[in-house]
Amino acid sequence: MKTLAPILLFTYNRPDYLKQTLEALKKNTLAKESDLFVFSDGWKDEFDRKKVEEVRVLLHSITGFKSIEILENKTNKKLAPSLIAGISKIFDTFDKIIVFEDDIVCSELTLEFLNDALEVYKEDTNVGMIHAQVETIPNLPELFFIQRSGCLAWAMWKRAWNEINFDGTYLLSEIIRQKREKEFNQNNSYRYIQMLKKQIAGKNSSWAIRVYASFFLKNILTLYPGNSYAQHIGFEHGTNCGYATQGTDVDGHITAIANVATRIPIHIDEITEEKIEHFYKLQKRWTSKFIFNEIMKRWRRLLSFISHP
């Protein structure tokens, strides 16, 4: 009988989203057999204190798992430091993990898929992560490997975690030195380089961009399902997120179709990568149009106010 990976859940100040995340997780077929570790970050200021305290009341009412351990930060560490420290702590005891943040709704088979995939690919050092969420794109294969890692409902082994370098400055310099900026940006379909630069400048707290960059430089791949097991519900209030994509196909939409975690050849699925690149190029156009329309609406409101004070 295989050993199940513990579930790590990272929370902050969103009790409404957290409740949905927990309700969905509890419905999983393997929830009652899984250990749950919950990390609650401390509040930044008095404005956030009430919400954080509300989150902690909810956390102490959790049931439905094999064991539950709640770890509360006394101070606000922010997402990336909290997540990195929390994962490192659990890896002192376990050799594999499943990670959720507090705005992910999953299907009832998510834990089964992630645990099975962790078992199937545990010896393959060129596989670094299993991801349960995928964008809603037609005609994706049942399973596929691509270079990009993810940050929404994922699983990893300790051996892969040890491959990650969280020094953003080093990672950026290596990508530039190797002249792989376009490749890192997935054929310029997404601004990953810009995201990494902002992390270095302290303008975001992204841990995920550094995981992706580390795996990218070492040619370590991520396994994805063709049909999403999870959906992101909190883009408009999430750390490092943009509100313009909330509720779109970027978030992933859970389907009733299951993807069995079987062994497939471990190489980049170039056809699927091209589909994803095309998807994000279309999203980029949509987002630009969305922002332009928002600016024009506000400009018209301002002109109306000036004309009719």
Side-chain angles (χ1 to χ4, degrees), residues 257-303:
I257 304 170
N259 307 78
V260 180
T262 54
R263 175 167 288 280
I264 62 171
I266 303 172
H267 61 73
I268 295 173
D269 186 328
E270 294 183 358
I271 294 175
T272 300
E273 273 210 330
E274 288 177 6
K275 287 183 179 180
I276 295 171
E277 288 169 5
H278 178 69
F279 171 83
Y280 272 103
K281 285 176 181 177
L282 290 177
Q283 286 292 322
K284 189 160 55 175
R285 292 174 200 164
W286 180 90
T287 302
S288 298
K289 184 177 179 181
F290 176 91
I291 293 171
F292 175 78
N293 288 339
E294 285 294 303
I295 292 171
M296 292 305 296
K297 278 194 288 186
R298 295 180 187 186
W299 177 246
R300 284 192 289 268
R301 283 198 295 266
L302 178 60
L303 289 177

Side-chain angles (χ1 to χ4, degrees), residues 60-75:
H60 286 281
S61 69
I62 296 175
T63 59
F65 297 89
K66 179 182 177 182
S67 69
I68 301 162
E69 185 172 345
I70 300 167
L71 300 99
E72 299 177 355
N73 292 336
K74 294 180 179 179
T75 59

Side-chain angles (χ1 to χ4, degrees), residues 2 12 22 37 72 82 93 140 168 207:
K2 66 174 180 280
Y12 181 44
L22 286 168
F37 294 88
E72 299 177 355
S82 177
T93 305
L140 293 179
W207 58 271

Side-chain angles (χ1 to χ4, degrees), residues 78 80 166-169 172 176 184-185 190-210 239-242 291:
K78 297 185 179 180
F166 286 103
D167 183 346
T169 301
L172 178 62
I176 293 172
F184 186 67
N185 278 342
Y190 202 92
R191 297 190 299 172
Y192 288 114
I193 285 286
Q194 188 67 17
M195 188 183 297
L196 183 56
K197 287 179 178 178
K198 286 184 176 181
Q199 185 278 318
I200 295 166
K203 294 181 179 179
N204 70 41
S205 184
S206 177
W207 58 271
I209 190 64
R210 289 173 282 173
T239 302
N240 311 319
C241 296
I291 293 171

Side-chain angles (χ1 to χ4, degrees), residues 145-202:
F145 284 102
I146 58 174
Q147 183 74 75
R148 182 198 68 182
S149 58
C151 61
L152 305 173
W154 54 277
M156 184 182 286
W157 305 267
K158 182 177 181 178
R159 58 148 175 91
W161 184 252
N162 291 338
E163 297 291 336
I164 300 167
N165 186 333
F166 286 103
D167 183 346
T169 301
Y170 166 80
L171 295 168
L172 178 62
S173 66
E174 276 299 294
I175 293 168
I176 293 172
R177 185 184 68 81
Q178 296 179 23
K179 299 180 180 179
R180 298 178 70 187
E181 298 98 311
K182 183 179 179 181
E183 184 185 353
F184 186 67
N185 278 342
Q186 291 197 302
N187 196 26
N188 288 338
S189 63
Y190 202 92
R191 297 190 299 172
Y192 288 114
I193 285 286
Q194 188 67 17
M195 188 183 297
L196 183 56
K197 287 179 178 178
K198 286 184 176 181
Q199 185 278 318
I200 295 166

